[in-house]
Amino acid sequence: SGNICSDSKRFTVNRFGSWYLAGDTVISYENNYINDVSGIHIYEYNIDKLDERRVDIIYNGEKLELYAEDYTCNIEYNDNCYIYDYYIEDSVFAKDGSYRITTSSVDRAGNINISSSRDNLGNIGFIVDRTSPLITGIDISNGQRIKEKQVPVKFIIRDNSELAAVSIKLNGEIIAEYLEEFPADYSFTLFESDTPQCFLVEAIDKAGNVTVIEVKDIIVNTTFIYKLLNDYNVLLGSFLDIIGISGLVFVRRKRVIA
């Protein structure tokens, strides 16, 4: 009768499952210390649709519970390929600590895909540190006068994650700098001088947080003139106090006589 029947079926051969790309910011964060998280994108490509997908985040070694508002996934189809754009909200990384991100999925061909198992992406990990280094133990203040031939200055520096650099300046000159190995405590010496002295301690951690402590106008001297100057200031203060009290008494008496 000349009737012709035709049928066509479309299918895909998908032996390898998904492959992944990280957004530019993620690449810059990888295995780094950062103090600000912004724009976490992970892209998953697959020639088939995904039947299941999820995002997992490990925070300080423990799985972080994620909610619907914590991340989104936008889907596009382009050049015979499905593109899944996972965007993780910045608020997920609000706390200081270590983070590792993994995406996993199952496509229609039955492939189980895990981003950490792919050579082109691997584990996405970084450390968030928004806390500046802590410098403690310095017991010298601005304008302090010390009657000694030399004065040791000792202090300790601690950081949430890891230090990157420590420098010590005395009277504008760098006297010590640490870039790789950091001691448990730090020290230097102020020697006797005819002029006021100052020092500055700067600590920078690997996330770029900076702490600076500067102490100015320190006088370290044992000579008579500086002792006299110190005594003069004490006497001047006492004298002014006496004048103030005497004036008050005089005024009160005058009012009584009137």
Side-chain angles (χ1 to χ4, degrees):
S1 60
N3 296 317
I4 299 175
C5 295
S6 64
D7 187 16
S8 64
K9 295 183 181 293
R10 181 182 179 273
F11 63 91
T12 59
V13 176
N14 187 355
R15 297 189 181 94
F16 303 104
S18 297
W19 64 99
Y20 300 86
L21 290 177
D24 292 339
T25 54
V26 177
I27 293 173
S28 67
Y29 294 165
E30 176 65 17
N31 294 325
N32 276 332
Y33 296 84
I34 57 176
N35 57 24
D36 185 33
V37 179
S38 177
I40 297 288
H41 285 270
I42 300 171
Y43 302 96
E44 181 175 3
Y45 297 79
N46 199 304
I47 60 175
D48 287 319
K49 277 189 174 182
L50 302 179
D51 289 334
E52 301 175 25
R53 64 178 186 272
R54 63 181 292 164
V55 173
D56 291 311
I57 295 179
I58 304 300
Y59 169 66
N60 287 343
E62 296 184 1
K63 189 174 180 180
L64 193 65
E65 185 175 1
L66 296 178
Y67 300 95
E69 64 271 19
D70 289 333
Y71 73 94
T72 58
C73 183
N74 294 320
I75 307 171
E76 295 182 10
Y77 185 76
N78 190 17
D79 292 335
N80 298 318
C81 183
Y82 290 94
I83 305 171
Y84 293 80
D85 176 6
Y86 302 92
Y87 174 74
I88 305 172
E89 296 291 337
D90 300 346
S91 58
V92 173
F93 309 98
K95 295 181 179 180
D96 285 8
S98 171
Y99 292 86
R100 290 213 165 269
I101 307 170
T102 301
T103 65
S104 57
S105 63
V106 179
D107 60 35
R108 288 192 174 177
N111 297 301
I112 298 174
N113 312 289
I114 303 174
S115 60
S116 60
S117 66
R118 298 296 191 262
D119 291 338
N120 68 315
L121 189 64
N123 274 312
I124 299 171
F126 51 85
I127 293 175
V128 176
D129 178 13
R130 298 182 180 90
T131 305
S132 298
L134 180 63
I135 303 175
T136 60
I138 296 176
D139 59 357
I140 298 176
S141 57
N142 288 330
Q144 186 170 347
R145 290 180 171 85
I146 306 171
K147 188 184 175 183
E148 299 288 349
K149 289 187 175 296
Q150 60 185 47
V151 179
V153 181
K154 299 179 180 181
F155 56 94
I156 297 171
I157 302 177
R158 295 290 180 265
D159 189 68
N160 274 3
S161 53
E162 193 172 346
L163 290 170
V166 171
S167 65
I168 303 170
K169 288 184 179 180
L170 178 58
N171 301 322
E173 300 290 333
I174 295 178
I175 60 170
E177 194 169 27
Y178 305 87
L179 300 174
E180 294 182 358
E181 295 184 3
F182 302 93
D185 53 72
Y186 302 79
S187 64
F188 64 95
T189 303
L190 291 171
F191 291 97
E192 186 174 25
S193 174
D194 292 334
T195 58
Q197 301 186 66
C198 63
F199 66 83
L200 182 147
V201 178
E202 181 180 67
I204 306 172
D205 65 26
K206 288 197 172 181
N209 303 299
V210 181
T211 297
V212 176
I213 290 183
E214 186 174 16
V215 183
K216 300 178 180 179
D217 299 323
I218 311 159
I219 294 176
V220 179
N221 201 288
T222 58
T223 59
F224 174 76
I225 185 64
Y226 280 97
K227 183 179 184 302
L228 182 63
L229 179 61
N230 189 56
D231 293 343
Y232 169 78
N233 288 333
V234 173
L235 290 172
L236 179 61
S238 300
F239 178 70
L240 292 175
D241 289 340
I242 292 171
I243 291 176
I245 294 171
S246 300
L248 181 61
V249 171
F250 176 77
V251 170
R252 286 181 176 176
R253 286 181 177 177
K254 185 176 182 180
R255 287 179 180 175
V256 171
I257 294 172

